Amino acid sequence: RTCSHAETCVTMRACSIGLSLAYACCLAIVTLIGFSAITTGIVLLIEGDHYGDTAEDLNPRADFSKLPESCIIEDVIHAYREEEDGYGYHCYDDYSYIFSYQGCQYRSRQNEALRYDGLCRESQPRIPLFVVGEEVPCWQPNVRPVAAQYNCGNDMCYKIFDPQNEVAIAEDTGDAMEAAGISSLVCGILCCCCCSPAVWCAGKKREHA
């Protein structure tokens, strides 16, 4: 290649260097995203497997016992949130409950439920599981410390949700974490094995163009 003017040669050289740097930056970013996704996937797989396996080993009938008296619902705390997953918005209701037992008040864990596949303003809140003044059965732990899978809402871990159901929820959470880990791992591998070489080849072709 020959240039008729020195200024034109300098300009073309500067553009070539700039494009090379741009491709190098793109390659670094894509590779970093890929490795980050792989790392996240591995962590989720390990954590999800441990969380689910631990839940399977729990014995809620032995770990908790039903309190001799009922608990009374004193207040219902409601919040809502919207999440977007690439296909649309989803509206969730989050409820937690203030309940009393023998004159002391406690707060339950948060209970979330899908309200509507869309924006929250397009729907009405779900009906809460409990209402103020309602008497409900409750449980106390027989062991300390209490496993995280039981999802205590207060320091005493008094519960108005059946511990047996908490274990099932924890197992589902472990499975969801593993599924998310597999997806992240696959995306990361594809990013490193396919996208990064594609960006590198595109840069090489541009250099020789």
Side-chain angles (χ1 to χ4, degrees):
R1 241 180 234 180
T2 59
C3 297
S4 57
H5 302 286
E7 293 180 357
T8 304
C9 290
V10 171
T11 302
M12 292 180 64
R13 183 60 180 168
C15 290
S16 178
I17 293 173
L19 288 172
S20 297
L21 289 173
Y23 277 114
C25 289
C26 289
L27 179 61
I29 292 171
V30 170
T31 303
L32 180 62
I33 292 172
F35 278 113
S36 297
I38 290 173
T39 302
T40 302
I42 292 173
V43 171
L44 284 173
L45 279 172
I46 295 173
E47 292 294 328
D49 181 66
H50 175 72
Y51 196 84
D53 287 347
T54 303
E56 291 176 0
D57 294 335
L58 295 176
N59 184 357
R61 294 175 187 257
D63 294 343
F64 281 82
S65 58
K66 187 174 287 188
L67 289 168
E69 300 177 20
S70 297
C71 291
I72 300 174
I73 303 298
E74 302 289 350
D75 194 13
V76 178
I77 301 170
H78 173 249
Y80 66 87
R81 56 192 164 84
E82 293 175 344
E83 293 184 2
E84 202 274 330
D85 60 1
Y87 297 96
Y89 285 93
H90 306 282
C91 178
Y92 292 87
D93 283 310
D94 297 323
Y95 282 102
S96 57
Y97 305 87
I98 304 297
F99 62 94
S100 62
Y101 180 74
Q102 294 184 341
C104 296
Q105 289 193 346
Y106 307 92
R107 183 166 180 162
S108 75
R109 67 160 173 84
Q110 186 170 277
N111 181 61
E112 62 180 44
L114 176 65
R115 181 205 297 186
Y116 177 69
D117 286 324
L119 297 174
C120 290
R121 66 171 179 265
E122 299 172 350
S123 60
Q124 296 297 317
R126 293 173 63 96
I127 298 174
L129 296 176
F130 309 112
V131 295
V132 174
E134 183 178 354
E135 295 187 6
V136 297
C138 43
W139 291 261
Q140 65 177 349
N142 298 326
V143 295
R144 297 285 182 181
V146 181
Q149 284 80 356
Y150 284 120
N151 197 6
C152 298
N154 54 79
D155 292 338
M156 295 296 293
C157 203
Y158 283 2
K159 304 185 70 62
I160 57 175
F161 296 104
D162 192 335
Q164 189 78 40
N165 295 334
E166 306 284 60
V167 172
I169 293 172
E171 291 176 357
D172 291 341
T173 300
D175 291 340
M177 291 172 67
E178 290 186 59
I182 292 173
S183 298
S184 181
L185 193 60
V186 170
C187 289
I189 292 173
L190 288 175
C191 194
C192 288
C193 295
C194 298
C195 295
S196 294
V199 173
W200 182 80
C201 288
K204 285 296 183 181
K205 289 180 178 178
R206 180 68 187 80
E207 288 177 3
H208 292 89

